Amino acid sequence: MHESSHILKGLKDQGHKFTKVRKLVLDLLIKSPKPLSSPDIQKAFLARKMPVNKTTIYRELAFLKGQGVIRELQFGDNTMRYEVTPDNHHHHIVCINCDKIEDVILEKDLDMEEKAIAQIKNFKILNHSLEFYGICERCQ
Amino acid sequence: MHESSHILKGLKDQGHKFTKVRKLVLDLLIKSPKPLSSPDIQKAFLARKMPVNKTTIYRELAFLKGQGVIRELQFGDNTMRYEVTPDNHHHHIVCINCDKIEDVILEKDLDMEEKAIAQIKNFKILNHSLEFYGICERCQ
DNA sequence: TGACAAACGCAACCGAGTTGCGTTATCATT
DNA sequence: AATGATAACGCAACTCGGTTGCGTTTGTCA
C-alpha cells in the first residue's frame, strides 16, 4: 500500500516542503477508491473544517503530477480527475448513470498495438487513455 | 464518402429543418481531417463572414450528437471535439507538441476485452474512449 | 399565405481552471 | 532559538468552454 509520509519524505529530500495541505491532498488520493477532481478535494478540506483556497489545490495537483506522484484522467465531463500513479497499469469503467468508477485490468495490454501504431504512423507514443462507459450492476 | 445533403434529407423526413447552419456545421465536420471543437466551428463560420451565435453551435452539436450523426471526443484539454460517426471503428493519436491528430485502427479490437470486463465487473458496457498521445514525426 | 414548431440570437450566467502579486510558513543554517 | 531564503499559500480578478431562459425569426406544410 502507498504511504504518504514516505512519498513526502522523498519530495522533501529534493528541496520541497512538507505541508499540511500537501499531506492531506496526497492522503485523500491514496485513500479514495476512485479518482478525485480538484473541487472534490476542496470539498473534502471544507468537510474537515480546513478551508483551502482552490488555487492552492490546483497548484498542488499540478505539482504532484509534475513529480509523477499522481496522474490525470478525464471521464467525459470536462473535469480533470486524479489518482495516485498506479503500479499495476489499469483503466477505468464508469457508470453513465450513477458515476460509479471501478478499476479494470486488460487481459492483453496495448503494448503490441502501440508498437504497431508507432511504426505505421511514425509517432513516438508516450501514453494513452482508455476508459469504458456503461451501466453498473445496480443501475441496470 | 459522407454526403451532407443525404443526411439532412433523412433528418428532414423526421420533422427537422434544413437550415444553413445545420448544413455548414455538418459539411465542416465531414470535410475536416480531424475532430473539431465548438469554438473551432464558430471561427470557421466567422471566417466565411457568417457570424453565428455560440449557443446555436452548441445546440446544433448536441442535436447532431443526439441523432447519432456525430460523436463526441476529448483529448485531454477539457474541450469537447466532434467527428462524423465513423463507419470504421477507429481511435486517435494526438501529438502533444503540435496537436496534430490522426486516426488509428487497432489490429485487434476491444470486443473480447469488453466481454471479459462485462462479465467480471457486471457492467453493461456501451462504449469506450481510447486515445494515444505522443510525438509526431515532424516534432521528434 | 398563414400558422406552428424548430431553429436562432441575445444576455446573463455557471463552473473549472489560470494568473499576478503580496503574505505566510517551512526548513536549513547559524 | 533567531534568521533568512524560498516554497507554499490566499485573495481577487480573470479566462473560456459550456448552459439557460426567453423572446424573435425562419423553414415547412397544409
Side-chain angles (χ1 to χ4, degrees), chain A residues 16-17 19 21-22 52-53 55-56 59-60 78:
Chain A
H16 304 291
K17 295 179 180 173
T19 66
V21 172
R22 178 155 299 162
V52 179
N53 192 276
T55 306
T56 302
R59 282 199 274 239
E60 189 57 37
N78 282 348

Side-chain angles (χ1 to χ4, degrees), chain B residues 85-100:
Chain B
T85 308
D87 320 312
N88 65 324
H89 184 64
H90 66 259
H91 301 91
H92 299 89
I93 180 162
V94 182
C95 177
I96 61 174
N97 187 58
C98 72
D99 294 327
K100 181 182 175 66

Side-chain angles (χ1 to χ4, degrees), chain B residues 20-70:
Chain B
K20 300 180 208 306
V21 172
R22 178 154 297 160
K23 174 157 171 43
L24 185 48
V25 167
L26 197 47
D27 280 337
L28 286 169
L29 289 173
I30 289 172
K31 281 187 296 187
S32 175
K34 64 178 184 183
L36 300 177
S37 67
S38 184
D40 286 341
I41 292 171
Q42 199 180 9
K43 281 168 202 148
F45 270 85
L46 208 58
R48 296 174 188 225
K49 309 292 183 194
M50 293 173 57
V52 179
N53 192 276
K54 65 174 177 175
T55 307
T56 301
I57 307 288
Y58 283 111
R59 282 199 275 240
E60 190 56 39
L61 291 170
F63 169 78
L64 293 173
K65 178 188 166 196
Q67 295 294 322
V69 176
I70 62 176

Side-chain angles (χ1 to χ4, degrees), chain A residues 34-71:
Chain A
K34 63 178 184 182
L36 301 177
S37 67
S38 184
D40 286 341
I41 293 171
Q42 198 180 9
K43 283 169 200 146
F45 270 85
L46 208 57
R48 295 174 189 225
K49 310 291 181 196
M50 290 174 60
V52 179
N53 192 276
K54 66 174 176 175
T55 306
T56 302
I57 307 288
Y58 283 111
R59 282 199 274 239
E60 189 57 37
L61 291 170
F63 170 78
L64 292 173
K65 179 187 165 196
Q67 295 294 322
V69 175
I70 63 176
R71 67 167 176 170

